[in-house]
Structures are given as C-alpha cells and as structure tokens.
Amino acid sequence: MTYRRAVIPALVGSLLITLLLWWAGESAQALQLRGSTSVFDAQSLSELRVWLAPWSYDPPAELLADGSTGAGPGGASQYAGLYTTAMQIRFVAVFAFFLAGALILIRRIPPTRGRTPATVLGLWAWAPMAGMLAVTVSAPWLIASYGHGSFRVLPQLASVITSSGPVTVLVGLVAAPLTVLVARITAKGEEPAPRQSVAPRAARLAASAGTAVIALSLVVLSYQSVAGWIQTSFDGPGLLSEPGELLRAWLLLGSWASPAGTPIGDWLLYRAADALVLAVVWWALRLLPGLLTRTTASAMAVGGVCATVLALSAGRLVHILFDDAFVIRGPVSLVSQLDEGVPAALTFGAAAGLAALLTLRLAGVRDLGEEPGSTAAAGDSVADGARTEE
C-alpha cells in the first residue's frame, strides 16, 4: 500500500486512540463520585484509578495545595503548569508514535489477501507501545512538576515509564479494528501486493534466531539472581545514580525463580506460560516475512515488537488463570497486568526482528517485494517466489 493510501487510516487511528485516552483520563474524575462505590468494589475502584491516572489532564490535588512543594501559592501554580505541559506533550507524543507505527504496519501488512487479522493484531499490540513511548517522552516534565527533579531521577523515570497503564491495551482493542476498517476502504481499487514466498527452512531459522533474543531476556536476565544483580550492581553518587530500576524496566520481560518453597506443579505451570510466550514469538516471526510486502528493517523491527507484546499478553493471561488472586480481586484484575514488560518488549522485540532479518539475509533470502505500481516488478517477484519454492 502506498503512503498516500496508508496515511489516511493511520491518521484516523492515531486521532482515535488519542481521543480515547483523553476521554479515559477525563473519566478519572467520575471515579471520585459518591455513587462509584455502588458500581465497583473498593479493590477494583482503586485499580481503575491507577489505570486512568497517567492520562488524567487535571493536576493531582497535592500540586494545587499551598506549600505542597515548598514553594508557596505561586510556586504551586508553576508546578501545576509543568504538569499540564507534561500532559500536552504526552498526548501529542502518543498521536505521533501511533501514527509512525501504524504507517509501517498498514503499508507493509496491508489488510488484504488474508493479511487482515495480522494487521489488526499488529495495531493492537502497537497501542500500548505508543502509550509507553509517549509516557517516556513526557516523563522529565512530569517528574519536575512534583518538585523532586533532582532526587533519584532514574528510579523516578523508571516508575513513570512503567505507568502507562493497561488502559492503552483496552483502547487498542477499539482503535485497531476501526483503523483496519478505514484501511480496507482506502485500499479499494489498488492492486494488492503479492505475498512473498520464503523457504520454510530459512523462515524457521529466522524465527529461531529472533526467539533466542527474546529468550535471553525472558529466561536468562529475568532469573531472580540475575535480575537482582542488574538492579543493585550499577549505582554510584550523583544525579544519575541508581539506574538499576531503569535497567530492569528496559531489560526484563518477566521474573522467575527456582521452585524452592513452591510446589513443583505450580512452578511448572508458570514456566509453561513462559514457554507459551516463546512459542507465540516463534510462530509470529515465522509468519512475518511472508506477510510483509517488503522485508525492510523498519518493518521487521516493528513486527518483532508487536509479536513480543502479543506473546507477553498471552503469557499474562495464562498467569492470571493460574493465580488464585483473580478470584479474590475480581474481573478488573484480568487486564491489570497486560501492560507489564512493554519497555523491554521494545528493546528485545526490535532486536529480535532485526536478528530474524539478518538470518534471512544470511540464508540467501533477498527482498522479493517491490513498490506497488510496477507490473513487471510484481511479475518478477512471483517468478522468483516460484523458483524459491522449487
């Protein structure tokens, strides 16, 4: 799909997800009303407030209170202004980041010829990633608005980055199919790009290489002793001291320990969820080169990120089913952990996609896709695909 056709659904989806997040943030005020306790239990109400707080445009009460930051009434209004600036940057950034990812996904995986489910899943997985990146960009202004910008900056930054909330997952469920619907309308009349034919052995090798990158984080770095070493071994004096929590956010896709003190059956069930994550990543990377119109580095990197987010969501759902706390805390907890590991999914998902691309190139698979509009190029691509299958 050409950029001219792809930009329309990408803009619609970006505007939609931005408006939905703004509406969700404004809805946080409704949870303060007296009747909210009759709709939700106390635990669910508390979790919902945590979900919506990162997208609430109204400054917290402590920023408006006189002397809350030690600066008096005038200083308090200035800190509240910093908070407003942070939220303005956050909403502009979520629009821009979702637009960038949606352009790549819609153009390289157009919703035609059996690609529609993959496009919907990719856009849904990109929604929490766009939210996390927007929160990251606006973090300096948000930290400064609380008056603690010179104290433990990196731990504060890690806390803000991981606070985008599962509301982005729910918003993505609405924005993704509507974006694909608009994309299908704009794609009418355009000749669909042929699907690439990748040798099964090369596709499996590429998927295995990408999965090995994800396993490095999920199996090796996320082990309790290694994760503890990452968090405690990099500290020192100065403004940028104590980067351990920030490193954990960007490097760890999960957390696990040996079965000491835990029934071996329960331990194996949780490890089965981790195995499911790796299986979903392998399956997605195995299919990805054949779904793309062109196997470019940007498309493989974004595809690897989306595959990792989808795999983490599948693993979290399995964890919830095995967790007795779900019965106690209620249905709201079903999605309370679906946004965990998103920063690390960007780090290792992009690396996994690029590792898969490099493996394809080393295996002799070149980019068979061409820009749409060239009939001769499309015919050459089909012929090359047939020779590859032979």
Side-chain angles (χ1 to χ4, degrees):
M1 182 180 288
T2 61
Y3 273 117
R4 182 176 60 85
R5 292 179 181 267
V7 73
I8 297 175
L11 284 171
V12 170
S14 301
L15 182 61
L16 182 60
I17 195 171
T18 304
L19 291 176
L20 287 174
L21 287 173
W22 176 83
W23 172 78
E26 290 298 304
S27 300
Q29 296 296 324
L31 298 178
Q32 308 293 335
L33 300 177
R34 184 179 305 174
S36 60
T37 55
S38 62
V39 180
F40 302 101
D41 59 88
Q43 180 68 31
S44 298
L45 195 62
S46 176
E47 290 187 7
L48 286 173
R49 287 171 180 167
V50 173
W51 293 5
L52 302 180
W55 303 100
S56 177
Y57 222 90
D58 296 325
E62 58 266 24
L63 294 185
L64 302 177
D66 292 348
S68 61
T69 59
S77 62
Q78 292 178 356
Y79 282 108
L82 276 175
Y83 181 88
T84 301
T85 301
M87 297 310 298
Q88 291 172 346
I89 294 172
R90 181 167 298 185
F91 281 101
V92 171
V94 75
F95 178 91
F97 282 120
F98 189 83
L99 176 64
L103 270 175
I104 295 174
L105 289 170
I106 295 173
R107 188 161 187 254
R108 296 307 178 196
I109 313 179
T112 56
R113 297 174 65 96
R115 294 185 174 110
T116 300
T119 311
V120 173
L121 290 175
L123 290 171
W124 177 43
W126 187 252
M129 186 60 61
M132 184 277 298
L133 290 172
V135 167
T136 302
V137 169
S138 63
W141 288 267
L142 189 70
I143 293 173
S145 69
Y146 283 92
H148 306 297
S150 60
F151 176 71
R152 291 172 53 87
V153 174
L154 297 184
Q156 289 186 80
L157 184 60
S159 177
V160 174
I161 288 174
T162 56
S163 68
S164 58
V167 66
T168 54
V169 179
L170 300 178
V171 166
L173 282 174
V174 179
L178 292 178
T179 303
V180 169
L181 178 61
V182 176
R184 288 182 65 89
I185 295 173
T186 58
K188 286 184 178 180
E190 183 180 58
E191 182 181 352
R195 296 185 63 168
Q196 298 193 48
S197 178
V198 181
R201 183 175 179 272
R204 289 193 294 266
L205 285 175
S208 299
T211 306
V213 175
I214 301 299
L216 174 64
S217 172
L218 189 66
V219 178
V220 179
L221 299 182
S222 295
Y223 184 60
Q224 190 177 53
S225 59
V226 180
W229 177 82
I230 291 174
Q231 186 166 1
T232 58
S233 297
F234 301 94
D235 56 1
L239 182 64
L240 301 180
S241 62
E242 304 180 26
E245 294 182 29
L246 187 61
L247 289 174
R248 282 178 62 97
W250 289 104
L251 297 180
L252 271 60
L253 286 168
S255 177
W256 68 283
S258 58
T262 303
I264 187 64
D266 294 343
W267 186 84
L268 289 175
L269 287 176
Y270 278 95
R271 300 291 71 76
D274 295 337
L276 175 64
V277 171
L278 297 178
V280 172
V281 169
W282 188 91
W283 173 76
L285 293 178
R286 165 68 178 82
L287 298 178
L288 183 60
L291 292 171
L292 295 172
T293 57
R294 296 189 68 189
T295 51
T296 60
S298 59
M300 289 295 291
V302 172
V305 170
C306 294
T308 307
V309 174
L310 290 173
L312 287 176
S313 299
R316 298 300 179 198
L317 286 174
V318 174
H319 274 294
I320 291 171
L321 294 177
F322 295 155
D323 193 357
D324 294 336
F326 168 66
V327 180
I328 300 173
R329 295 187 308 199
V332 175
S333 63
L334 181 64
V335 293
S336 61
Q337 299 177 347
L338 291 183
D339 66 321
E340 292 185 1
V342 172
L346 175 64
T347 305
F348 287 92
L354 294 177
L357 177 62
L358 178 61
T359 305
L360 287 174
R361 296 292 182 262
L362 293 177
V365 178
R366 64 184 182 88
D367 189 3
L368 302 177
E370 299 290 346
E371 294 296 332
S374 174
T375 306
D380 292 341
S381 297
V382 174
D384 289 342
R387 286 194 293 270
T388 303
E389 290 178 348
E390 294 174 359

